[in-house]
Amino acid sequence: KQEVTQIPAALSVPEGENLVLNCSFTDSAIYNLQWFRQDPGKGLTSLLLIQSSQREQTSGRLNASLDKSSGRSTLYIAASQPGDSATYLCASITQGGSEKLVFGKGTKLTVNP
Amino acid sequence: GAGVSQTPSNKVTEKGKYVELRCDPISGHTALYWYRQSLGQGPEFLIYFQGTGAADDSGLPNDRFFAVRPEGSVSTLKIQRTERGDSAVYLCASSSKRGSTDTQYFGPGTRLTVL
């Protein structure tokens, strides 16, 4: 059974800082790994999708990497802004099973002006 | 185009009552998913539809929960004899073909409160 863990649970940084959010998963046989953003009381917004054959994906100030062999993914946020404050969730779909996403509990990020 | 929509946005009911939650996926998306999110947790899978059929319902917690997608578009999640432990945000997502290859797009959720 796939288990996804995110560290840290919460992170507070000053505006402008570069930061890394970590995600680990127990079963490396995945189809893909997806990073989401969730604002309070809102649904999830997809940020980046990394297929199992890929090592990283980039979108603007965001860069996500995937290392299947070690069961890890990182989300790098450059030059953080107060508008980046949200909860960031990672999730994966495991091969040989359903098409369901298995989520971590998320990292709550606060960027202070 | 329009994203995934869910109605109602909030639902308050009494213990023992029946509720229906509706999801309108992105037009043309064949795959539809229901998840449940409790406070401070990540979403947990409930059920996955490919077209009209439930391809995986292994996440439904018990037989009080049931979901349908009769025409391969709109889906309804039905909960009978609601319990306080059913209180959570119910999220719906859709993808164009399969979650293993395509991004899942989420709706805003329905917050269910069982008193």
Side-chain angles (χ1 to χ4, degrees):
Chain A
K1 176 185 174 184
Q2 177 75 286
E3 293 183 4
V4 178
T5 304
Q6 292 187 247
I7 295 173
L11 180 64
S12 181
V13 301
E15 182 177 4
E17 189 162 300
N18 301 326
L19 59 100
V20 173
L21 306 181
N22 296 293
C23 172
S24 62
F25 44 94
T26 55
D27 187 345
S28 61
I30 60 172
Y31 281 119
N32 60 45
L33 187 134
Q34 202 164 351
W35 282 92
F36 294 88
R37 168 185 174 139
Q38 186 171 33
D39 293 284
K42 305 291 185 182
L44 279 66
T45 300
S46 178
L47 297 174
L48 291 164
L49 171 70
I50 312 175
Q51 298 291 355
S52 62
S53 59
Q54 298 174 322
R55 294 299 300 269
E56 65 177 342
Q57 282 286 335
T58 299
S59 176
R61 294 182 294 107
L62 306 180
N63 176 276
S65 67
L66 174 64
D67 184 344
K68 283 202 317 177
S69 61
S70 67
R72 294 181 182 178
S73 177
T74 61
L75 179 66
Y76 174 83
I77 302 176
S80 58
Q81 303 172 357
D84 295 331
S85 298
T87 296
Y88 291 81
L89 295 147
C90 71
S92 70
I93 293 181
T94 308
Q95 295 179 12
S98 170
E99 304 287 323
K100 65 185 180 186
L101 284 165
V102 176
F103 284 85
K105 293 184 178 181
T107 294
K108 184 177 181 179
L109 173 65
T110 302
V111 181
N112 301 299
Chain B
V4 178
S5 62
Q6 293 185 245
T7 54
S9 56
N10 281 284
K11 177 69 177 179
V12 180
T13 191
E14 294 180 345
K15 180 176 179 291
K17 298 290 188 181
Y18 168 84
V19 297
E20 290 189 352
L21 311 179
R22 176 187 169 108
C23 171
D24 283 83
I26 293 172
S27 178
H29 280 193
T30 61
L32 185 145
Y33 313 79
W34 284 99
Y35 295 84
R36 178 168 72 172
Q37 186 175 26
S38 300
L39 193 63
Q41 303 294 314
E44 293 182 328
F45 170 78
L46 295 176
I47 187 168
Y48 155 57
F49 286 90
Q50 187 60 252
T52 60
D56 181 359
D57 64 358
S58 64
L60 295 178
N62 51 59
D63 61 7
R64 295 186 297 105
F65 289 74
F66 189 72
V68 295
R69 194 185 186 199
E71 298 179 357
S73 178
V74 170
S75 175
T76 305
L77 178 65
K78 307 179 181 190
I79 310 174
Q80 299 178 324
R81 303 183 304 281
T82 51
E83 300 177 356
R84 292 192 179 87
D86 298 335
S87 296
V89 176
Y90 289 80
L91 296 165
C92 175
S94 70
S95 64
S96 59
K97 294 179 182 177
R98 301 170 57 189
S100 57
T101 54
D102 306 309
T103 299
Q104 292 188 28
Y105 296 92
F106 281 76
T110 293
R111 181 175 298 278
L112 175 65
T113 303
V114 182
L115 301 177

